[in-house]
Amino acid sequence: MWELDGAVPGTFGEIRLTLIPKGGEATSHPWQYVSPYQGYTHKVFLEDLQPATTYTILLEGRKKAGTPIAKTSGHFRTLPPADEVVPVTFTSSTCQYFWDYDDPVRGFRIYDAMRELKPAFHCQTGDYVYYDKPGPLAKTVALARHKWTAINAWPSLRDFYTEVPLFIQRDDHDVLDDDAHPASEPYGELTFSDGLLLWNEQTPTDPDHPYRRIRYGKDLEIWLVEGRALRTPNPEPDGPEKSIWGKEQVEWFKETLRASDATFKILMSPTPVVGPDRTNKSDNHANANYAAEGRWLRRFLANQPNTFVVNGDRHWQYVSRDTETGLYEFSQGPSSDEHAQGWKKGDQREEHEFLRVAGGFLSVTVSRKNENPTICFRHHDTRGVVVNEKMIVGSGN
């Protein structure tokens, strides 16, 4: 198996994490073993961090006590207080297939381009790996783990994530196969439940909180939703009870969005809410299969001032404005030009203010100009060149 391209075999041993706040004292966690039962991964939940503080993380590894120690390090900055007016830029991307890389040495060009922007954090909205695409087809747990180690071994990803915190969401290909839902049949020997366990193993997420929100200062709040594990199975007939999010998440979303006093609010959705999407698709809020919840969601979001959607899953870039509600949605497009597909170039619909069937990423900047809060959504190509810009002025707070 380890002769597969991109393979990075794990090994039994110990690791230790040390956290060093800027200007403060280092705190070392105990040495912990990693083993094949968790894919040689280890997860540490950090508590009691100070706001707006830069931390360095030192990670050490060894075979056992008394053996040579290998070291690597990275850094991150914690979020500022909710009452602080502070500018912020973050980036967002989706849909990266290992074999559609565009740099044979670095991997994906977007990561080096995004790193130059020095974003405060990065949102990855799903399809980080593709279990059901060749190279190999991940029909076992071992091959699924290979997909994660291969994609994360690209130098552009490693360099980016040592400097930029990641907020990641899962979509179908990260769990099982295309349009996966809780009642999906196994993909080879991989089950939907296996996919959820592997996700929790491989990603910096809390399995007890699959949906969450990020508050960045006075002017920005972001909602990261769960779109796979809680949904009604795709084939069931549409109606008021059919849901992608599930009742508990819907209530949480309504309550927290209404209560937010952030100037700008963004729903990060692994799948489209506005679209338009293709008629042969059936697993998102822009499709007929979930039309009832989709109509409710678009109307609800449009009734909240300065609220927008950034979506993953679509392999083309666009800015769409819903013809009924006026809700804006921004699609980042895939992580490489080779992975752009699914929409005909030039097929610009009524909803589209911008359409580009190519790869790239999205950057979002929130700032104040003459005391007026503004938000700017920029589509970039894979090298970072801005190909579209939408700036919106919000009401002052």
Side-chain angles (χ1 to χ4, degrees), residues 125-320:
T125 56
D127 294 340
Y128 192 87
V129 294
Y130 281 83
Y131 290 157
D132 56 337
K133 277 188 172 292
L137 297 174
K139 294 189 176 184
T140 66
V141 168
L143 290 173
R145 283 178 171 147
H146 161 75
K147 292 275 187 167
W148 288 96
T149 57
I151 199 77
N152 285 327
W154 282 119
S156 62
L157 275 74
R158 291 194 345 250
D159 291 347
F160 182 77
Y161 289 124
T162 59
E163 298 180 8
V164 182
L166 168 64
F167 295 100
I168 189 170
Q169 295 169 281
R170 61 186 167 213
D171 202 18
D172 46 358
H173 302 283
D174 305 310
V175 179
L176 197 63
D177 56 2
D178 194 38
D179 293 355
H181 55 83
S184 290
E185 292 293 317
Y187 184 64
E189 297 178 12
L190 195 70
T191 69
F192 190 86
S193 295
D194 292 334
L196 296 182
L197 290 172
L198 285 165
W199 173 267
N200 294 333
E201 172 188 285
Q202 294 289 330
T203 62
T205 54
D206 182 352
D208 294 329
H209 298 90
Y211 47 88
R212 57 215 187 275
R213 52 192 175 130
I214 309 164
R215 182 64 184 261
Y216 199 99
K218 189 174 181 62
D219 287 332
L220 179 64
E221 190 159 11
I222 292 173
W223 281 256
L224 302 157
V225 292
E226 164 58 44
R228 289 293 156 185
L230 306 175
R231 66 167 56 208
T232 308
N234 298 346
E236 292 194 13
D238 190 39
E241 298 301 313
K242 189 174 183 181
S243 178
I244 290 177
W245 290 358
K247 290 182 179 180
E248 183 177 307
Q249 183 174 202
V250 167
E251 291 306 312
W252 165 84
F253 184 73
K254 290 193 296 186
E255 179 181 343
T256 55
L257 191 67
R258 285 170 174 156
S260 175
D261 64 354
T263 306
F264 297 109
K265 295 171 275 288
I266 299 177
L267 165 61
M268 303 296 301
S269 174
T271 51
V273 174
V274 174
D277 197 16
R278 295 162 289 176
T279 56
N280 65 336
K281 298 301 290 182
S282 61
D283 75 331
N284 66 63
H285 286 119
N287 298 153
N289 272 34
Y290 293 91
E293 188 173 66
R295 282 191 299 270
W296 163 78
L297 181 55
R298 289 186 292 275
R299 291 168 181 171
F300 176 75
L301 292 169
N303 284 330
Q304 315 305 313
N306 303 321
T307 299
F308 311 96
V309 180
V310 171
N311 72 289
D313 197 38
R314 300 301 78 177
H315 294 212
W316 58 96
Q317 295 181 322
Y318 65 75
V319 179
S320 287

Side-chain angles (χ1 to χ4, degrees), residues 100-109 111 154-157:
D100 281 343
Y101 61 83
D102 51 14
D103 185 318
V105 175
R106 300 286 297 164
F108 291 88
R109 292 195 299 245
Y111 283 96
W154 282 119
S156 62
L157 275 74

